[in-house]
Amino acid sequence: MDIQLDPAGDDLPLMANTSHILVKHYVLDLDVDFESQVIEGTIVLFLEDGNRFKKQNRSIEEVCQSESNKACKLGMPEPCHVPVTNARTFSSETEYNDFAICSKGEKDTSNKDGNHDNQEHASGISSSKYCCDTGNHGSEDFLLVLDCCDLSVLKVEEVDVAAVPGMEKFTRSPELTVVSEELRNQIVRELVTLPANRWREQLDYYARCSQAAGCGELLFDTDTWSLQIRKTGAQTATDFPHAIRIWYKTKPEGRSVTWTSDQSGRPCVYTVGSPVNNRALFPCQEPPVAMSTWQATVRAAASFVVLMSGENSAKPTQLWEGCSSWYYYVTMPMPASTFTIAVGCWTEVKMETCSSGDLATETPFSPSEADFRHVGVCSHMEYPCRFQNASATTQQIIPHRVFAPVCLAGACQETLLQLIPPCLSAAHSILGTHPFSRLDVLIVPANFPSLGMASPHIMFLSQSTLTGGSHLCGTRLCHEIAHAWFGLALGARDWTEEWLSEGFASHLEDVFWAAAQQLAPHEAREQQELRACLRWRRLQDEMQNSPEEMQVLRPNKDKTGHTSDSGASVIKHGLNPEKIFMQVHYLKGYFLLRFLAERLGDETYFSFLRKFVHAFHGQLILSQDFLQMLLENIPEEKRLELSVENIYQDWLESSGIPKPLQRERRAGAECGLARQVRAEVTKWIRENRRPRKRKRRAREAVLEKLLPDQLVLLLEHLLEQKTLSHQTLQSLQRTYHLQDQDAEVRHRWCELIVKHKFTKAYESVERFLQEDQERSQRDSFIHLLLAWGTGPGHQRRDYVAAKAVSPQSRSVLVLLFPGGRSQPGTHKRQILVNAASRPGSGAELLWDFEFFCTDD
């Protein structure tokens, strides 16, 4: 399979030759400079060649069928401080526990010894030589290919791991008399395969090796999507250096991180969940099969807090006045795409007061040797696994911290802090052992293009979740917590199968939230049916307004999970700008899992899900792995005509709405909460038709109090009405206090305001666009926009609104720009604007903007 790319296409290339060589561990040593908006430093890669890992790895199917897997005798990771200094040189005179501080950066070594600085070629993958098998070219040198873009690579060198004191224990010789490439590679091979119960020692040696001196520069070149490294004379992966250091720096426009200001106006930078993942943050192997561990030291001004995917709750170490260092590590192998960092002037938000009862279920987790006994058999590669620790398996609430801009600390105390313990406890009651030992929750800047994002040990939440009560915050928190199991501990082997992450999280969020609220079974069922009704409406909209080829959950069909001989592959539509707006993997995946759960019954289904999690945690899966194991656990009388092939055909490999779902929705009766909403809609329509001069009865006497999801459904039904009077809209606003509801409700309320030109409420629309922009970006189908002013003396024509219509569908991104009065002949004009260039837009695509202003 050759990687042939269309430069104008929307596929995302994964260029790393993971079939030949794998990165087993990264050591990052970085400085964050807010003045230049650059992150720079070094990354050391510890590699394992294909000859070794191909022998070690068996397919998932073989692992799961084997009953003879031995339980790992593992130690659990505890907070461990192994600081990594600036990666310059290591000698026997260096005191390891001290930080070696050196000047930032290195000079560009382009045009020297065959090295070249990063040059982006507009033509995409510019040479066919990077599309071929890079394993062994006969007389050619072996080529290490890493995924990389938007980086300036300054130098690449081999690391002399043999010079580190104590490394002789990793060789067959008691003394290192003759140092060769083979000896260095032998040391790295032994280091990366240390047993899991020696994880502390392994991290220590990784850190020491990362500081060792270089022993020769390596040749490198870059193109749009990759960094290629070679060593003259090293013709195979086995001969290639197994420890290399890359000196590099990011670019301000790099797509992996966003430089912005938080809600308090202070500078910050964070990984935004970009379609290009982390390749613009550090050179890496992006394919999910490249499971690695990492440790990182990050330096920043003392006023900043550094948060990262890490098992330890890092604390700052002062290096000198005004500069601090933060250290994190991860011992569970994860894809490089899950690495997350956020640097800003965050404040840790703590509970002001708490009774002893509030913390009754939360116990500090400090494992002892007595805890390291077998709880079950794990099938993943060896690492310190929480599923193997008795104390971890019973820990309902993992340690957690909350960080936010100072101005949002109060809102976090009122809402978020109260919800985390019950949501974590609920998740444990459904799925069992928490895969990760701790959790940081960060309220990210307002330009974050989603309501939330989960990464190992850290979660981003939008500020939109903090207003309008606990419902939106609770459901989103549950969704992201669910990703700890589905999306992180269990990852998709093929990224086109996103439903394995988002479908599960969407289905589990309702179950977790019901358990967190301690709802009675009939109440939980009613609320879940109501949310199913809302998702059904969204799915219908999605199918009507998206290209058919992007409605398929398993687009690669029989080729799902396949790569080229080198391990390179392409993610279909991975760069398509429409993708960030689409929810097909969430919705169709949710309805498939709901369909299967109803077929089995909740008790049987969730019992199976716990079994599945235990069998596959720490591994990569495909749809067939889940479906085959599920069908094996369905009693024959309940299986009927269910088969993997039928599910593929009906749910995963077809566009449009699955036929079983259509039949279910037609046959199913409306739930009680939805019927209550329909009754309220009828009342409002009747009210709207009454003569305006007629005195109306007090609405409080006839209208029911509605739940947030009921309000969303009510407003969606009213949006279907051709006309609503301003008097009716004003009554709606007053009756339900719509301006104070959560972002989901206010989103629909803003659509009503705009559709019916309800000028008195334009301030609510402006507030929504400024504070909850991710809602307008992700879900919005607002087709009618008006412009308005904000204060005394401002005419509405002093502002312009942009209706940004995607070329592929009717999806709309709404942006407001201050503007001057329109000139004659410029009432309506078409221009092309890069939405990403506007601060706070959170978009990375070109839109066709229609600017207009009102005449009244």
Side-chain angles (χ1 to χ4, degrees):
M1 172 182 168
D2 288 343
I3 304 303
Q4 302 295 340
L5 295 177
D6 175 6
D10 62 2
D11 295 336
L12 174 67
L14 304 180
M15 302 301 296
N17 53 339
T18 54
S19 293
H20 302 144
I21 195 164
L22 281 178
V23 178
K24 301 299 290 184
H25 188 77
Y26 297 93
V27 179
L28 296 100
D29 187 64
L30 304 173
D31 292 283
V32 180
D33 186 343
F34 279 93
E35 283 191 20
S36 61
Q37 294 190 342
V38 162
I39 299 174
E40 65 176 305
T42 65
I43 182 169
V44 176
L45 280 57
F46 294 86
L47 304 163
E48 184 176 47
D49 61 84
N51 289 336
R52 186 176 183 94
F53 65 73
K54 283 179 182 176
K55 293 178 182 177
Q56 293 176 337
N57 291 341
R58 290 180 291 170
S59 68
I60 290 180
E61 292 82 4
E62 290 172 334
V63 171
C64 293
Q65 290 169 6
S66 172
E67 296 297 326
S68 61
N69 294 317
K70 295 181 180 179
C72 307
K73 297 180 180 180
L74 307 179
M76 288 297 300
E78 299 174 21
C80 167
H81 190 69
V82 189
V84 182
T85 70
N86 267 1
R88 302 301 187 261
T89 58
F90 181 94
S91 67
S92 57
E93 289 77 28
T94 303
E95 192 65 32
Y96 173 67
N97 288 326
D98 293 334
F99 286 90
I101 308 305
C102 303
S103 60
K104 293 197 309 178
E106 286 289 317
K107 297 296 183 181
D108 192 333
T109 58
S110 60
N111 299 321
K112 178 183 178 182
D113 297 329
N115 294 338
H116 305 282
D117 194 6
N118 193 35
Q119 296 177 2
E120 296 187 2
H121 305 295
S123 60
I125 305 302
S126 57
S127 173
S128 62
K129 71 178 180 179
Y130 302 133
C131 301
C132 63
D133 185 354
T134 56
N136 188 340
H137 305 291
S139 62
E140 294 182 25
D141 296 328
F142 171 80
L143 200 65
L144 170 64
V145 182
L146 300 174
D147 294 294
C148 171
C149 72
D150 302 338
L151 293 177
S152 292
V153 178
L154 308 176
K155 184 172 72 173
V156 182
E157 65 181 358
E158 181 178 359
V159 178
D160 189 6
V161 295
V164 178
M167 298 309 290
E168 58 273 5
K169 70 170 64 176
F170 297 111
T171 69
R172 299 181 183 89
S173 172
E175 296 182 6
L176 299 179
T177 53
V178 179
V179 177
S180 64
E181 189 74 67
E182 182 179 355
L183 182 63
R184 294 190 192 97
N185 287 353
Q186 179 190 338
I187 290 172
V188 175
R189 289 190 194 101
E190 295 298 321
L191 178 57
V192 301
T193 54
L194 282 178
N197 60 357
R198 295 173 65 183
W199 64 270
R200 265 196 199 84
E201 179 186 4
Q202 187 180 47
L203 283 177
D204 179 78
Y205 276 111
Y206 278 140
R208 291 171 180 262
C209 289
S210 72
Q211 300 166 60
C215 56
E217 291 194 20
L218 302 177
L219 307 176
F220 70 90
D221 199 359
T222 59
D223 59 29
T224 304
W225 292 113
S226 68
L227 166 65
Q228 308 99 32
I229 304 170
R230 64 186 176 91
K231 178 177 181 178
T232 303
Q235 296 184 7
T236 68
T238 303
D239 300 329
F240 188 81
H242 283 28
I244 64 172
R245 181 183 295 117
I246 302 171
W247 305 76
Y248 76 97
K249 59 183 178 180
T250 65
K251 297 181 179 180
E253 68 274 16
R255 286 166 281 178
S256 292
V257 296
T258 292
W259 299 86
T260 186
S261 298
D262 66 17
Q263 292 85 340
S264 296
R266 297 178 176 180
C268 61
V269 61
Y270 67 102
T271 45
V272 73
S274 167
V276 302
N277 298 308
N278 283 323
R279 67 182 71 185
L281 177 59
F282 57 91
C284 58
Q285 290 182 329
E286 284 275 288
V289 69
M291 307 268 278
S292 59
T293 53
W294 60 76
Q295 60 198 103
T297 298
V298 179
R299 289 170 293 278
S303 58
F304 289 94
V305 173
V306 178
L307 302 176
M308 192 186 299
S309 305
E311 293 167 18
N312 57 314
S313 298
K315 301 293 183 182
T317 299
Q318 183 173 344
L319 302 180
W320 60 81
E321 186 175 354
C323 183
S324 296
S325 174
W326 301 71
Y327 170 76
Y328 288 90
Y329 66 85
V330 164
T331 62
M332 175 181 175
M334 303 284 293
S337 60
T338 63
F339 179 94
T340 299
I341 186 172
V343 184
C345 298
W346 329 116
T347 183
E348 184 176 356
V349 185
K350 300 180 180 180
M351 299 282 278
E352 289 185 342
T353 58
C354 60
S355 65
S356 58
D358 293 333
L359 299 177
T361 56
E362 182 171 2
T363 55
F365 183 61
S366 181
S368 64
E369 290 298 324
D371 293 321
F372 303 151
R373 54 183 179 268
H374 305 311
V375 179
V377 177
C378 293
S379 302
H380 52 69
M381 67 180 76
E382 192 179 8
Y383 67 83
C385 176
R386 287 175 56 82
F387 287 79
Q388 288 293 317
N389 185 276
S391 295
T393 59
T394 59
Q395 189 180 26
Q396 298 178 28
I397 303 172
I398 56 176
H400 51 274
R401 305 182 297 180
V402 173
F403 292 86
V406 174
C407 63
L408 294 177
C412 289
Q413 286 178 333
E414 292 175 12
T415 305
L416 179 58
L417 281 175
Q418 316 287 337
L419 293 174
I420 295 177
C423 290
L424 287 172
S425 181
H428 181 273
S429 70
I430 304 299
L431 293 182
T433 307
H434 287 282
F436 301 102
S437 58
R438 67 174 200 94
L439 175 67
D440 281 342
V441 181
L442 172 65
I443 303 300
V444 284
N447 68 338
F448 186 60
S450 176
L451 281 178
M453 186 176 77
S455 301
H457 310 284
I458 186 170
M459 176 193 302
F460 292 169
L461 285 182
S462 164
Q463 65 178 21
S464 298
T465 63
L466 299 179
T467 57
S470 64
H471 178 73
L472 180 59
C473 187
T475 54
R476 195 65 200 190
L477 188 60
C478 287
H479 182 100
E480 304 306 335
I481 288 173
H483 277 311
W485 286 267
F486 291 94
L488 295 175
L490 289 87
R493 200 193 318 172
D494 188 318
W495 278 344
T496 60
E497 292 199 304
E498 294 173 62
W499 82 272
L500 289 170
S501 173
E502 298 302 349
F504 275 95
S506 298
H507 187 238
L508 287 168
E509 77 174 69
D510 294 355
V511 181
F512 289 179
W513 183 231
Q517 296 176 92
Q518 299 182 334
L519 297 179
H522 72 280
E523 288 182 289
R525 186 68 180 175
E526 274 290 301
Q527 290 195 14
Q528 289 168 17
E529 289 293 333
L530 177 62
R531 291 179 68 77
C533 176
L534 288 170
R535 289 189 177 109
W536 169 245
R537 294 172 64 87
R538 292 174 191 170
L539 180 60
Q540 290 176 297
D541 281 343
E542 185 94 341
M543 296 302 99
Q544 293 173 9
N545 299 289
S546 60
E548 284 192 7
E549 66 270 16
M550 297 184 67
Q551 299 175 9
V552 181
L553 300 190
R554 192 172 180 260
N556 292 336
K557 299 185 179 180
D558 293 341
K559 295 182 179 180
T560 300
H562 290 195
T563 64
S564 69
D565 291 340
S566 70
S569 62
V570 164
I571 303 302
K572 198 73 173 171
H573 305 303
L575 296 174
N576 191 309
E578 283 293 283
K579 201 169 177 60
I580 63 172
F581 294 91
M582 294 190 65
Q583 297 189 67
V584 63
H585 291 87
Y586 295 74
L587 298 171
K588 288 178 75 171
Y590 159 82
F591 278 111
L592 169 56
L593 295 171
R594 177 182 162 88
F595 167 78
L596 295 172
E598 289 179 350
R599 181 68 67 92
L600 271 72
D602 283 350
E603 185 175 348
T604 302
Y605 174 77
F606 287 107
S607 175
F608 158 76
L609 209 56
R610 286 188 290 273
K611 180 179 179 181
F612 179 76
V613 165
H614 198 279
F616 282 92
H617 70 275
Q619 300 174 63
L620 301 172
I621 62 172
L622 298 173
S623 296
Q624 64 206 50
D625 299 313
F626 170 73
L627 295 175
Q628 286 172 352
M629 186 171 174
L630 175 72
L631 294 179
E632 290 169 2
N633 283 265
I634 296 181
E636 194 67 38
E637 64 273 11
K638 291 186 177 182
R639 194 177 304 177
L640 299 177
E641 297 179 357
L642 274 184
S643 68
V644 173
E645 292 71 23
N646 289 343
I647 294 174
Y648 279 171
Q649 183 177 349
D650 291 339
W651 292 88
L652 302 183
E653 295 181 356
S654 301
S655 60
I657 296 176
K659 292 180 181 178
L661 179 57
Q662 294 181 33
R663 292 193 293 268
E664 174 196 318
R665 300 309 298 183
R666 283 197 298 264
E670 202 170 39
C671 69
L673 293 176
R675 288 197 300 273
Q676 184 182 5
V677 170
R678 283 201 178 272
E680 297 305 295
V681 171
T682 301
K683 294 175 186 178
W684 281 108
I685 293 174
R686 190 182 303 122
E687 287 285 313
N688 188 61
R689 290 173 180 169
R690 289 182 181 180
R692 293 188 181 182
K693 293 183 180 180
R694 183 174 176 179
K695 187 176 181 181
R696 304 188 180 198
R697 291 173 293 173
R699 213 153 264 99
E700 291 77 4
V702 296
L703 296 170
E704 301 287 340
K705 184 177 180 180
L706 301 179
L707 298 171
D709 283 335
Q710 286 182 298
L711 278 175
V712 170
L713 185 58
L714 171 73
L715 297 179
E716 287 188 358
H717 281 307
L718 291 178
L719 275 164
E720 296 168 359
Q721 298 299 307
K722 187 175 182 180
T723 59
L724 290 176
S725 70
H726 287 192
Q727 192 170 355
T728 298
L729 293 171
Q730 190 168 352
S731 297
L732 266 172
Q733 183 178 21
R734 184 173 59 247
T735 301
Y736 300 116
H737 307 285
L738 295 176
Q739 71 279 3
D740 299 323
Q741 297 292 338
D742 66 37
E744 291 282 6
V745 176
R746 287 186 286 113
H747 169 222
R748 275 73 176 183
W749 171 231
C750 287
E751 291 191 61
L752 277 172
I753 293 170
V754 170
K755 178 177 180 178
H756 300 290
K757 301 182 181 180
F758 184 34
T759 57
K760 290 183 179 179
Y762 277 169
E763 288 184 2
S764 295
V765 182
E766 183 175 18
R767 173 194 164 199
F768 176 80
L769 293 173
Q770 291 174 345
E771 298 180 6
D772 303 285
Q773 189 172 190
E774 70 281 347
R775 302 308 305 151
S776 60
Q777 287 178 24
R778 188 173 182 84
D779 301 329
S780 165
F781 290 91
I782 303 176
H783 303 292
L784 298 171
L785 298 175
L786 295 174
W788 62 89
T790 56
H794 283 259
Q795 300 296 319
R796 283 191 290 134
R797 64 172 59 92
D798 290 335
Y799 284 73
V800 293
K803 181 175 71 173
V805 185
S806 162
Q808 285 80 21
S809 78
R810 294 186 293 119
S811 300
V812 174
L813 171 68
V814 184
L815 299 172
L816 287 180
F817 310 113
R821 297 176 182 271
S822 60
Q823 300 298 318
T826 60
H827 176 71
K828 190 174 182 180
R829 64 189 188 274
Q830 298 287 334
I831 64 172
L832 197 64
V833 175
N834 186 343
S837 67
R838 296 193 175 274
S841 72
E844 297 180 350
L845 53 139
L846 292 178
W847 291 88
D848 189 17
F849 274 81
E850 179 180 314
F851 283 83
F852 60 96
C853 59
T854 58
D855 294 324
D856 53 340

